[in-house]
Structure formats: structure tokens, C-alpha cells
Amino acid sequence: MAQKIMISPVTRLNGFWRLDVEVENGKVIDAYSSGIYIRGLEKIMQRRDPRDAVYLTQRICGICSSAHAMAGSLALEHAYNLEIPRNAVIIRNLIFGADLLQNHLRHFYFMALPDYAEGPDEPPFIPRYKAEYRFNKKETEKLFQNYMESIDMSRLCHEMLTIYGGKAPHNHGILAGGASVHPTADNIRLYLFRLEQVKRFIDEKMLPDMELLIEKYADYFQIGSGPETLLTYGMFPREDKRGEFYLHPGVISKDQLQPVNSDLIHEQVKHSWFLDTDAATDIMQGATNFYPDKEGAYSWIKAPRYQGQVVQTGPLCRLWVAEEYRHGISTLDRIYARCLEAKKVADYLQEWVQKLEPGKPIYQEYEPLRDAKGIGLVEAMRGGLGHWIEIEDYHIKNYQVITPSAWNMSPRDDNGLPGAVEQSLIGISIADFKNPIEIGRVARSFDPCSSCAVQVYTPQESLEQYII
Ligand code: NFE
């Protein structure tokens, strides 16, 4: 008979997430991913000034804010048909790139590593599962020295972000029309000085630590693959070619690379606590109506699908589409690709910061339109992020957000197809039912963030009014 494991909340990630798995003969035969609180930012956005979108959506979560600033700005620039100055594209990439490095460093050392290396016998490393940890004492000590050093590196990344973004995590440097901080010889130097230290850490500590992880846990290249359809919207807009990205957009389905078509993105809600009418084939018409008593539902995350397919998204998908990493799709591939991407982005940032032109424009003036629609598709740290805005009479009529973690952590869809993390868990072996460390290893390799994925209600208002 199947035994059930429930982990709630899953720790070492942002937000509150619950995983339920059924285990039979030591193997996971079924898995359920539940976002266990409400976001509801779409409700908060209604009737606001469209220019607020860039700032308010950053508050969806505290760890990928600059990605929301990018997507919100792109959506408005699309709606207003704006072209922003070259300097602005670069500055925005410098802000987002610094934030991405901060995220990738944090994921590798704080979120993922403690699943594989046994930390010191003190909080936050205890309590922990009793399991097979494969590093020897010397290796473990070295890994946790680097873990501590990565905190300094994370701080440096946030300092880089603030040089052009004003503050972290929610920056004021990215806005519709461009950027807000002019490049100067001085701020370029301040950015580079920090970047060089972070780059050195990635090259000399993070990548070697990743290689050591591969040496000891190579079996995780065969574990936790998840869906084989990979999605990326394109990361880091090019300053020299409008509409193009340094890391190309694309969907890999059945080994075929296709361009991303936003019309093929839709959301299903059969197993999510939303009214059935919130299912959307056209995301611009999407709605957010909470229904916590819904039968058969188990998550505040909707089920986004691409042409009906379950997809996974994130650094592995980006490098796969860029043909820079085609080793495999698995737990360790996702973690490895994230580390390789950190190196790639650090190299890019060094190149881009030197392309800034002090004295040249950073902002394109515009007149807001009375009525308009726009879509901002961009990559966040964890994968494809989309913002859809409809403006009516100078105010937001509808705002919809589909985050990478909604793609990855989604529940079953209308056809009963499990979401990406759910699929990756089904079939894995659990060595010790009381210490199911394998679940965390596989699930955390997606760098999940349930704050982004679920729908927060306005604390002044009662939730009751949203419930039918
Ligand atoms: Ni809360 Fe986020 C990223 C977005 S969710 S972290 O990256 O958008 O996946």
C-alpha cells in the first residue's frame, strides 16, 4: 500500500509551499505541489496608474524584483510603443544581471547545498534529515567556508544593483521609458570593482564547488528530469538590436526549437482555488477570483500551459536554447546550468558596463495613452516571466502575471497532467521514508519561489469579499 509524505512548508525557498507525495516500494508514484497562500497582486493593480505597475509588481516577492521591474516596463513600453535609449537598455541589464547573480549564488549555497553537504551542528543547519551525505570532513568544511563567503558576495551583488537601481531589493532604477541613474565614470568604476570580486568568487569557488558536487552526486543527472518541453522568453535585451536578446527566446518541444508565441500561453484552474471562469486562453482577459472551498483544488497557483503542454523554465532551458548546454534534463543539470549561467552573466556584465556612454540619454519621454494593451515577456532568474496589461481611461483595467515558478510549481491542469515539479518527483526513489531528502534535492533544483507563484491580498481588506 502506498504511504504518504507531506512536507509543509518546504524550507529553503521563498514563500510557503507544500509537497505531498505517495510512495510505494520505495518509489514516488504520485506528487502534488501546492502554493499555500494567496498573492492576488492582480487585484491590487486594478484601477491604478499604469506607471505604478513597475513598482508594485516588484513587491510580488523580495528576491526577483528587478525581473518584475523589467517585465512591467516592457509591457508598458509595448503598450505605448516606446523605444528606449541604448544606455537605458544597458543600465537595466546591469541592474537585473546583478540581481540574477545574487539569486544564483544564494540558491547554490543557501538553498541547494545543504541538501547534499552536512552543515555544522547548529542552526540554521539543524534540524536536518539523517541521510547519506557524501562529502568528507575536509570537503564539507571548505564548502561551508565558501557558503559563508557567498553571503559577502551576495551583498556585493546587491550593492551593484543599488548603484543603478537606488536600492535593493525593490529598485527605482528601472522604469517605463528607460532608467533613472545616469552613468558616470565614477559609478562604472564602483560597479566594476564589485563585479570583479564576485566574478573571482564564481570562477574560483562556486564552479569548483559545483564540480565537486557533480563528482559525488553524478547519479542526480539521472534523477528528477520533469517535462521535456523547455521555455524561455529571452534574457537581457540587446542595446544594439531592438527586440532581440543576448540569450535567445525559444520553446524546445520534441527536440524542435520554435519561436515563442504568446498566443499559445494559457492558464487552467481546475485544480486551483479560483473560479472556473478564471481559466484563460487569452491571458489579457485573465481574471483572479478566489474560491478556497473549490472541490478538487489544492493550490493557489494556477496551471499555465504552452499549447496544452507542461513546460519547465529556468537557466537550464536558457542555456539549452542557446545551445550552450545540452548534457541532459535533471536535478543536477538544473543546478549546474545555474552555476554556468552565473559565470556567463558575470562575464557579460563586465562587457556591458564598459559600453555605457556617460552624458548620453537614459530616458525616453512619452505621453501615456488613454487606452492601450501591452505584453512584457522576459526572463526572470527562475525562468520565463510574463506581464499582461490592459489600460482603459489612463488606468489599469486588467493586469495579469505569470511567473516562472507558476510554470514550474503548477498543479495538475484540466487534463490531469501534473505540473513540472510534480512530474520530476514521480518515479524517484526514497531510501528512507522518515528522511525523504531526495524530495528536497529534486524540488529545490528548480529554485522554486512560491511568493511569486501564488496569487497576497491587501491587508486592510477582508478576504471575504473575494470569496463567492
Ligand atoms: Ni519570487 Fe520570481 C523569479 C518571478 S518566481 S522569485 O525568478 O517572476 O519564479
Side-chain angles (χ1 to χ4, degrees):
M1 206 183 82
Q3 293 172 290
K4 295 188 175 171
I5 300 176
M6 185 268 280
I7 306 177
S8 179
V10 181
T11 55
R12 278 187 277 118
L13 56 88
N14 195 17
F16 298 93
W17 191 29
R18 167 174 168 159
L19 287 172
D20 290 84
V21 303
E22 287 180 29
V23 181
E24 200 168 77
N25 300 323
K27 273 207 181 337
V28 173
I29 55 163
D30 214 347
Y32 294 84
S33 151
S34 312
I36 48 175
Y37 72 114
I38 308 168
R39 185 179 85 210
L41 205 99
E42 284 85 351
K43 293 261 180 218
I44 297 172
M45 301 298 289
Q46 284 169 7
R47 300 179 294 281
R48 303 269 181 177
D49 186 309
R51 290 166 295 188
D52 287 348
V54 172
Y55 303 107
L56 294 178
T57 56
Q58 291 190 56
R59 273 77 183 168
I60 279 180
C61 160
I63 61 174
C64 65
S65 317
S66 54
H68 288 283
M70 290 280 269
S73 300
L74 288 172
L76 273 181
E77 287 155 8
H78 180 225
Y80 296 153
N81 193 24
L82 276 180
E83 189 166 354
I84 66 168
R86 179 182 182 278
N87 261 348
V89 178
I90 300 172
I91 289 172
R92 285 160 39 156
N93 286 344
L94 293 175
I95 294 172
F96 174 62
D99 210 4
L100 177 140
L101 291 184
Q102 202 265 351
N103 274 253
H104 283 11
L105 283 162
R106 182 182 45 218
H107 181 265
F108 181 70
Y109 284 100
F110 301 171
M111 313 298 194
L113 190 67
D115 279 330
Y116 303 89
E118 193 170 20
D121 288 330
E122 57 191 53
F125 306 104
I126 52 169
R128 63 172 163 252
Y129 288 139
K130 288 189 184 60
E132 178 207 22
Y133 295 98
R134 302 180 194 165
F135 297 105
N136 64 34
K137 192 160 177 278
K138 205 164 147 225
E139 290 162 343
T140 302
E141 277 176 10
K142 175 101 176 339
L143 287 168
F144 282 97
Q145 266 171 18
N146 294 343
Y147 175 109
M148 297 309 287
E149 200 183 330
S150 76
I151 300 174
D152 295 332
M153 296 301 126
S154 279
R155 193 190 62 235
L156 285 175
C157 292
H158 262 175
E159 287 177 3
M160 284 159 61
L161 193 166
T162 60
I163 290 170
Y164 295 111
K167 65 187 189 61
H170 308 310
N171 79 80
H172 286 177
I174 299 176
L175 67 162
S180 65
V181 175
H182 285 274
T184 62
D186 196 36
N187 61 34
I188 290 172
R189 187 183 56 81
L190 290 173
Y191 191 96
L192 267 175
F193 170 69
R194 285 165 178 77
L195 176 60
E196 276 161 17
Q197 295 172 66
V198 175
K199 249 172 77 64
R200 198 173 315 127
F201 180 83
I202 293 170
D203 290 342
E204 295 176 9
K205 307 273 172 76
M206 187 185 188
L207 283 168
D209 287 346
M210 180 67 222
E211 278 153 25
L212 187 63
L213 182 65
I214 290 173
E215 200 182 304
K216 304 280 175 170
Y217 286 90
D219 48 330
Y220 275 84
F221 277 130
Q222 314 300 329
I223 296 172
S225 60
E228 289 186 357
T229 302
L230 314 177
L231 171 77
T232 169
Y233 294 149
M235 188 154 73
F236 296 119
R238 292 195 72 104
E239 77 287 355
D240 49 355
K241 292 180 195 145
R242 193 182 181 201
E244 293 191 21
F245 294 84
Y246 277 92
L247 285 163
H248 311 298
V251 182
I252 302 261
S253 178
K254 301 190 180 72
D255 286 337
Q256 296 290 313
L257 174 63
Q258 288 152 10
V260 176
N261 176 352
S262 62
D263 291 342
L264 301 179
I265 299 169
H266 52 276
E267 282 189 310
Q268 302 178 2
V269 294
K270 185 168 177 194
H271 297 282
S272 311
W273 288 305
F274 297 92
L275 289 185
D276 286 341
T277 46
D278 288 0
T281 43
D282 173 3
I283 304 300
M284 199 67 87
Q285 306 297 325
T288 309
N289 294 292
F290 307 131
Y291 185 7
D293 297 324
K294 184 169 164 182
E295 210 172 311
Y298 61 95
S299 182
W300 287 111
I301 305 174
K302 293 181 181 177
R305 295 293 182 259
Y306 188 85
Q307 215 174 9
Q309 298 176 81
V310 183
V311 309
Q312 60 179 297
T313 185
L316 174 62
C317 311
R318 296 194 278 265
L319 294 194
W320 201 284
V321 168
E323 294 188 51
E324 291 185 23
Y325 186 93
R326 294 260 170 120
H327 176 273
I329 301 172
S330 68
T331 301
L332 218 51
D333 286 303
R334 280 186 288 274
I335 301 176
Y336 192 20
R338 193 169 292 113
C339 292
L340 293 173
E341 187 177 75
K343 175 171 174 51
K344 185 179 176 70
V345 170
D347 289 346
Y348 266 147
L349 294 178
Q350 198 171 38
E351 188 186 313
W352 295 334
V353 70
Q354 297 178 71
K355 288 185 174 180
L356 285 171
E357 297 177 296
K360 295 266 178 78
I362 58 166
Y363 181 70
Q364 174 62 51
E365 297 272 351
Y366 63 93
E367 279 296 321
L369 298 176
R370 171 182 283 274
D371 301 308
K373 286 182 184 176
I375 305 179
L377 296 185
V378 75
E379 284 291 298
M381 302 71 176
R382 289 159 193 76
L385 167 67
H387 283 204
W388 283 256
I389 185 169
E390 182 178 2
I391 302 165
E392 191 180 77
D393 197 18
Y394 298 110
H395 287 81
I396 295 174
K397 180 175 179 210
N398 194 14
Y399 207 97
Q400 290 291 313
V401 175
I402 302 183
T403 60
S405 291
W407 286 103
N408 289 332
M409 300 160 78
S410 98
R412 279 151 173 72
D413 59 27
D414 293 5
N415 299 314
L417 282 176
V421 170
E422 294 178 337
Q423 286 191 20
S424 71
L425 289 169
I426 295 170
I428 70 169
S429 301
I430 307 289
D432 172 3
F433 184 76
K434 293 221 164 73
N435 292 280
I437 195 164
E438 298 87 350
I439 295 174
R441 287 177 179 163
V442 172
R444 287 197 191 88
S445 68
F446 287 86
D447 190 5
C449 168
S450 80
S451 311
C452 273
V454 298
Q455 303 284 349
V456 184
Y457 69 98
T458 44
Q460 300 89 340
E461 293 174 328
S462 154
L463 184 59
E464 297 296 313
Q465 65 182 291
Y466 297 129
I467 300 173
I468 56 155

